[in-house]
Amino acid sequence: MDYQYKDVFSILDSPCIIDKFRNSISIFKEKKKIIRILIPGCGSNTKIQQLCYSIYKENIDIYAVDWSEEAIAIAKKETNLLNIPVEYINCNFNCLPFDDDFFDIVIISNSIVSDSHENNINALNEFARLLNPDGLITGNFPCAFGMFDYALTSGLADHWLTTGIVDIISRTVYEESQDMHQRFFTPLELFSVCKEMQLKIESMNILFYDGADFAQQMSTLYQLPYNENFSLWGLYVNIKKYTL
Ligand SMILES: C[S@@+](CC[C@H](N)C(=O)[O-])C[C@H]1O[C@@H](n2cnc3c(N)ncnc32)[C@H](O)[C@@H]1O
């Protein structure tokens, strides 16, 4: 089963995360052409759209996709208020109405989070199809090992240590507070899956979800008093196509 979020958990209010995105997204800044950007699973937080616009000004076409109508309505209202042109598309990002090689940048912010490995692979395959040969897929992926580390260090998600952070049969992480399973890539698995799709991981870093906003979201989620030490990590990757 897949979940359709309305009130979406987002890491995008942490300045350190936005900084990371800024570096990668700026890659085509010197190119004198319109840069086409895809934001699959954009959710309701518009920080990525704002960032793209601040880097490329009018030289971009931004397409933001989510299957949650409510999330899109919130995002649309905000970018309209800010006068940032964005084409919102309310659909499943595993099958998108664009030609091959259409996009220069695909920005993934914690959006490949299905409980089905097959769905996650299909999504990546679709983004690979849409990426032009010089293009960049950039963004962050939750990591099961990050969740485990988080349970050990924050004491917030004790259930991951008792009833099991990873269900071995389905290979999913169970998130008790939201009652959902999510199938996360391990670093090696992501590397192998990309290789099969003729995608090359150019860099893979640990990205710490740190800062007051993240800590606040965690304390709200777990209904615990605010603690500035609540932090988590995921994988930040830059991916390109193999060129002959
Ligand atoms: C964890 S939220 C992240 C939202 C946003 N990228 C951010 O960082 O704030 C995941 C988002 O991806 C969307 N999503 C997940 N799978 C999707 C799919 N197959 N098609 C369209 N949207 C999807 C969800 O509706 C949700 O808005």
Side-chain angles (χ1 to χ4, degrees):
M1 165 187 180
D2 277 299
Y3 300 89
Q4 304 211 3
Y5 305 67
K6 180 173 66 156
D7 189 13
V8 168
F9 177 83
S10 177
I11 58 169
L12 294 175
D13 289 314
S14 298
C16 59
I17 290 166
I18 289 297
D19 270 353
K20 194 90 189 160
F21 273 107
R22 181 178 291 108
N23 279 340
S24 305
I25 294 170
S26 301
I27 181 176
F28 298 123
K29 210 166 168 221
E30 303 311 321
K31 289 225 160 161
K32 300 273 172 283
K33 63 162 199 160
I34 298 288
I35 300 298
R36 290 178 180 150
I37 297 183
L38 173 67
I39 311 172
C42 60
S44 50
N45 190 315
T46 66
K47 290 288 184 320
I48 290 285
Q49 292 89 313
Q50 294 178 46
L51 179 66
C52 293
Y53 191 69
S54 74
I55 296 170
Y56 291 103
K57 307 286 183 271
E58 276 80 33
N59 293 330
I60 39 169
D61 287 336
I62 307 176
Y63 298 83
V65 181
D66 208 292
W67 58 15
S68 160
E69 253 178 66
E70 292 93 334
I72 286 206
I74 297 168
K76 197 184 238 174
K77 198 169 162 196
E78 196 161 306
T79 43
N80 281 349
L81 275 174
L82 295 167
N83 266 328
I84 299 177
V86 178
E87 179 83 26
Y88 286 98
I89 305 169
N90 183 207
C91 73
N92 186 337
F93 58 49
N94 282 20
C95 181
L96 290 169
F98 299 100
D99 292 338
D100 295 0
D101 303 345
F102 189 79
F103 288 99
D104 299 290
I105 309 180
V106 178
I107 303 173
I108 298 169
S109 172
N110 267 349
S111 42
I112 303 202
V113 291
S114 171
D115 61 354
S116 146
H117 187 51
E118 199 189 340
N119 280 350
N120 289 335
I121 291 200
N122 289 344
L124 260 182
N125 245 324
E126 180 66 344
F127 306 154
R129 177 184 77 77
L130 295 171
L131 191 69
N132 79 45
D134 298 322
L136 173 74
I137 297 177
T138 188
N140 60 294
F141 290 73
C143 176
F145 303 136
M147 311 297 262
F148 181 61
D149 196 3
Y150 163 67
L152 283 171
T153 51
S154 72
L156 279 181
D158 282 343
H159 63 282
W160 286 337
L161 304 174
T162 51
T163 51
I165 173 174
V166 178
D167 175 79
I168 300 295
I169 310 275
S170 64
R171 297 218 253 157
T172 54
V173 172
Y174 177 62
E175 169 50 70
E176 192 177 47
S177 62
Q178 298 170 89
D179 190 23
M180 62 166 72
H181 287 90
Q182 293 177 316
R183 172 69 162 78
F184 296 153
F185 289 107
T186 68
L188 186 57
E189 191 179 42
L190 184 58
F191 173 78
S192 310
V193 161
C194 284
K195 210 168 157 190
E196 273 172 35
M197 293 176 196
Q198 302 297 311
L199 293 173
K200 179 171 60 159
I201 296 196
E202 294 219 314
S203 62
M204 178 184 281
N205 297 303
I206 282 184
L207 176 62
F208 289 102
Y209 307 159
D210 193 16
D213 177 77
F214 183 79
Q216 184 56 56
Q217 290 202 60
M218 287 293 103
S219 53
T220 307
L221 199 60
Y222 291 98
Q223 297 172 352
L224 287 169
Y226 176 83
N227 180 333
E228 64 178 11
N229 293 326
F230 294 160
S231 52
L232 173 63
W233 60 264
L235 303 172
Y236 192 91
V237 289
N238 281 323
I239 302 172
K240 298 199 93 174
K241 279 188 167 168
Y242 276 107
T243 42
L244 294 176

